[in-house]
Amino acid sequence: FGTIFTLTFLYACISVPLCVFGGSMAKNYGKHDFNAPTRTTKVAREIPTEVPWYRGRPFQMIIAGFLPFSAIYIELHYIFASMWGHQIYTLFGILLFAFILLVIVSSFITVALLYFQLAREDHRWWWATFINGGMTGVFIYVYSVFYYYHRSGMSGLLQSSFYFGYMAAVSFGFFLMLGSAGFYMSLAFVKHIYGRIKCD
């Protein structure tokens, strides 16, 4: 009973006030209008539908998730072994380097795929960049399924639900974090390239 009371107290006295404070700060001090770097029209342009399979969105999502995941695959194995196994992880400097590398590679891959998307005259890039940036989180979850069945030695309903629940939360956190990083890098890229266009 004490644990439930403590969690309820923490949620009511810390999480709810911080949520209300953050919402009021965003409402009062956030920018309300998006300042486009160049003049835009109200009528959206027609997007070409005849594109090769390697320029389609599903293939780009796979590439956007696989390339950053391949940069952290080895480090992820050691992290899983220390989280779900009996090994001790001591290489925190290398972990920080791998995390910075993951954010940079994910952001740059998202910007490169955005360039290919804009080159084929597809202007719907907002959610595409967020999803492309966050696809590494999906690959982390797929790797967690592989790790569970081939490396962990866990079994049973309780262990499975605990493992997959925590890994879903961690993977979703990586999806949101890397998606946001890719989106903000793409927004800076779009503002930069379209800010250099001279409109008459």
Side-chain angles (χ1 to χ4, degrees), residues 45-109:
R45 293 183 63 177
E46 185 178 347
I47 299 169
T49 56
E50 299 286 329
V51 292
W53 62 271
Y54 55 86
R55 284 189 157 193
R57 191 158 291 168
F59 185 73
Q60 286 191 351
M61 287 167 49
I62 292 171
I63 292 297
F66 177 73
L67 290 176
F69 176 77
S70 64
I72 62 161
Y73 168 73
I74 300 298
E75 205 63 33
L76 200 63
H77 173 73
Y78 291 120
I79 292 170
F80 272 56
S82 66
M83 278 177 52
W84 303 109
H86 300 290
Q87 296 182 7
I88 297 173
Y89 190 83
T90 57
L91 304 172
F92 294 107
I94 295 174
L95 180 63
L96 176 66
F97 177 73
F99 173 73
I100 293 170
L101 183 69
L102 172 66
V103 172
I104 290 172
V105 169
S106 179
S107 300
F108 285 176
I109 292 294

Side-chain angles (χ1 to χ4, degrees), residues 122-172:
D122 188 355
H123 56 81
R124 300 170 303 178
W125 63 270
W126 291 73
W127 282 105
T129 55
F130 183 78
I131 292 171
N132 284 345
M135 280 303 292
T136 307
V138 175
F139 274 80
I140 290 173
Y141 193 73
V142 170
Y143 177 75
S144 72
V145 172
F146 168 78
Y147 185 86
Y148 179 82
Y149 287 111
H150 297 286
R151 300 275 191 271
S152 69
M154 288 190 258
S155 62
L157 179 64
L158 184 62
Q159 283 185 335
S160 300
S161 60
F162 187 78
Y163 176 82
F164 287 115
Y166 266 100
M167 287 315 302
V170 167
S171 300
F172 186 64

